[in-house]
Amino acid sequence: MAIAQIKNLQRRLANLEQEAEAELDRVCGNHLWASVGFDVIDALENPADRARANYYYGQLQTSRELKDVLG
């Protein structure tokens, strides 16, 4: 993979990570999910909010793992 492609992919992953964090903050109502994790997401009463939070938490974890691999 060319250096330009890697840099572009890193930027896209950073954008996905920022989007996921913003959505998790919105759905959970605060940034507490970052330190507590799934306990906050599982405590959400609305099933639609819980599903949305789980989706974005998965997106966040995936983007972080890929960023770690790329360096």
Side-chain angles (χ1 to χ4, degrees), residues 13 16-17 20-21 24 33-34 37-38 54-68:
L13 289 171
L16 284 173
E17 188 173 340
E21 287 179 351
L24 284 165
W33 62 266
F38 272 114
N54 278 318
Y55 170 80
Y56 281 106
Y57 192 79
Q59 177 178 310
L60 178 65
Q61 292 301 103
T62 302
S63 65
R64 285 181 176 171
E65 288 174 17
L66 288 171
K67 279 176 57 178
D68 287 344

Side-chain angles (χ1 to χ4, degrees), residues 23-52:
E23 285 298 316
L24 284 165
D25 286 347
R26 191 187 66 69
V27 171
C28 294
N30 54 45
H31 198 69
L32 187 61
W33 62 266
S35 59
V36 178
F38 272 114
D39 292 337
V40 172
I41 294 171
D42 288 341
L44 293 171
E45 293 181 16
N46 184 340
D49 286 344
R50 196 174 324 116
R52 188 173 183 89

